[in-house]
Structure formats: C-alpha cells, structure tokens
Amino acid sequence: QVQLVESGGGLVQPGGSLKLSCTASGITFSDWASDWAMRWYRQVPGKEREFVAHIGLSGHAIYSDSVRGRFTISRDNAKRTIYLQMNDLNPEDTAVYYCNRAQYNYWGQGTQVTVSS
C-alpha cells in the first residue's frame, strides 16, 4: 500500500521561507517515475481544499495564481519525493498543506504551515 508523508511545516514570519517535502513509500522507482504526477494542495479550516501546484512526470510545473513566482515545486524520483519551496510567505499562506497523486485519491496526512509575526 502506497503512503504519502509530508514534512517541513512550521511557524515562520511574514517574508520568510519554508520547504515542504512529500515522500512516497510502498512504490517502486519505475512506477513512481512513470506514472505519479503529483500536486500540492492547501486547506484552511472552513474552506475548500485549494490547488497550489502540480508537477508532471517530466518535471513540468503548474502553479495557482496566488503562489506563482513565490513557490517552486520539484521532484526527486530517486527519493520518491516532491518538494515545495515557499518563499516570501504571507499570512494568507497559512494552511495545512497536502500532497496528492494527481487525479487520484491518494493524499498525505498534511503538514501545518503558519505564517505569523
């Protein structure tokens, strides 16, 4: 059974940076590299889960308007891991961040990001 585990969340001041990781276990390198496009979402209590970024098998990235230019998604296939480098954070970025296999119902448990002074 494949599991996704996020890490790297925490408390950061406005203007600061964080790097999130999401690692998959229970999957072969071949399957991961050939079939697992991945996404980051985020959710604030009482609101719907919001798309943040997508990375395809070739590394092609797509971003939501709210994070484009500040966030960078990347992947390391050898580590079965995706990353989300978040720069110039602001309080509106506060949320639980989830990784997801694109177009599938595979989710991690989430990692809390809080941006506050």
Side-chain angles (χ1 to χ4, degrees), residues 27-107:
I27 185 171
T28 65
F29 168 82
S30 177
D31 285 346
W32 168 264
S34 66
D35 206 27
W36 281 61
M38 295 293 294
R39 294 174 177 170
W40 286 99
Y41 287 79
R42 64 188 182 185
Q43 189 169 26
V44 175
K47 294 189 176 181
E48 290 190 358
R49 200 165 289 187
E50 173 192 18
F51 168 78
V52 174
H54 167 99
I55 187 163
L57 301 179
S58 64
H60 176 67
I62 301 170
Y63 299 95
S64 68
D65 290 343
S66 62
V67 308
R68 188 178 298 112
R70 300 187 297 122
F71 290 11
T72 302
I73 188 171
S74 61
R75 64 189 294 153
D76 184 336
N77 287 339
K79 295 182 179 180
R80 281 80 148 171
T81 297
I82 64 167
Y83 303 96
L84 187 68
Q85 176 67 48
M86 305 185 294
N87 298 328
D88 192 22
L89 286 160
N90 59 64
E92 290 70 39
D93 296 314
T94 296
V96 178
Y97 284 70
Y98 299 90
C99 63
N100 160 258
R101 181 187 182 190
Q103 299 182 319
Y104 287 83
N105 193 28
Y106 283 97
W107 296 89

